[in-house]
Amino acid sequence: MNDERQIRNLALVGFMGTGKSSVGRLVADVLHFTFLDTDDVIEARAGCSIREIFDQHGEATFREWERRIVQELTRRNRTVIATGGGLPANEANLASLKSHALVICLWASPEKILERVRGLSHRPMLNDPDPLARIRELLAQREPFYRQADVLVNTEMRSPREVAQQVLHQFHIAQAAQPRHPAS
Ligand code: S3P
């Protein structure tokens, strides 16, 4: 592992419906870390839902909010960060997360993702007559970014609790590999 990196935090990236928030909460509980969801922070600051931000201001404004939060995250310690699905699809965001966090990508197939997000109308990126095709298209665009995560965890056949165990295992390995900057 690069000596310049300080693994003080844990960042969960990955597509919508891969369980970043539920897994993140479980992991934060075990580690006694603070849990932070970038979507929640944006909604709290904007005073409206993500769907409303997309409808009223457009995706570019939402991505700018994300970019600003990523910069602020560099000051955090002992935090589990669940990111919006599109946040790491930006080199600068990903590089910034990697400077202070172990970045773990949660993965699932397009079919599984559809099964998990079906009926949830609050995700503007999937507002499409053919959501499966849209998921495939977005996944293909984002895969090169997701693959740059430190660790890829397949969530396909696993419960959030099982995924959380995998994530914790990887985090402990990463911490052990950098004895000069322990996160706890
Ligand atoms: C988005 C994913 C959402 C949210 C926004 C855009 C995306 O977060 O940030 O709707 O572009 O994939 P989740 O991945 O937490 O659903």
Side-chain angles (χ1 to χ4, degrees):
M1 190 166 295
N2 183 344
D3 261 359
E4 301 301 311
R5 280 183 79 184
Q6 287 185 34
I7 310 285
R8 309 188 306 267
N9 304 305
L10 172 59
L12 295 177
V13 304
F15 207 78
M16 294 168 259
T18 51
K20 292 163 294 188
S21 302
S22 37
V23 170
R25 281 199 181 85
L26 290 169
V27 169
D29 245 26
V30 174
L31 292 173
H32 303 292
F33 276 25
T34 305
F35 174 73
L36 182 150
D37 185 313
T38 59
D39 287 343
D40 291 347
V41 175
I42 291 175
E43 289 189 330
R45 285 187 187 173
C48 63
S49 69
I50 286 172
R51 170 167 284 281
E52 286 165 334
I53 299 173
F54 270 73
D55 287 349
Q56 292 165 20
H57 307 286
E59 184 182 350
T61 299
F62 176 75
R63 299 299 172 202
E64 178 56 24
W65 281 87
E66 282 191 322
R67 202 185 58 76
R68 268 189 251 158
I69 287 166
V70 166
Q71 286 173 355
E72 293 168 19
L73 290 173
T74 58
R75 299 195 290 271
R76 307 262 341 175
N77 276 308
R78 298 173 61 86
T79 303
V80 175
I81 303 154
T83 66
L87 184 147
N90 166 314
E91 290 291 351
N93 284 352
L94 196 55
S96 179
L97 286 177
K98 278 189 155 185
S99 71
H100 58 87
L102 183 74
V103 178
I104 298 190
C105 178
L106 303 188
W107 187 261
S109 67
E111 293 74 16
K112 192 59 153 186
I113 287 168
L114 181 64
E115 196 182 301
R116 290 181 183 159
V117 302
R118 202 187 271 285
L120 302 175
S121 57
H122 65 275
R123 290 183 165 101
M125 296 298 287
L126 299 182
N127 187 13
D128 192 286
D130 187 347
L132 186 59
R134 180 72 177 137
I135 291 169
R136 287 207 174 102
E137 178 188 35
L138 283 171
L139 258 183
Q141 285 168 15
R142 293 175 181 178
E143 190 172 340
F145 296 96
Y146 292 154
R147 285 200 177 279
Q148 290 177 53
D150 297 301
V151 183
L152 215 60
V153 174
N154 191 347
T155 69
E156 192 86 5
M157 306 294 280
R158 292 183 174 133
S159 68
R161 200 159 288 279
E162 287 168 324
V163 176
Q165 273 164 9
Q166 295 277 328
V167 167
L168 283 163
H169 180 64
Q170 295 296 336
F171 190 63
H172 291 317
I173 293 174
Q175 276 189 306
Q178 54 150 32
R180 279 173 296 151
H181 301 292
S184 60

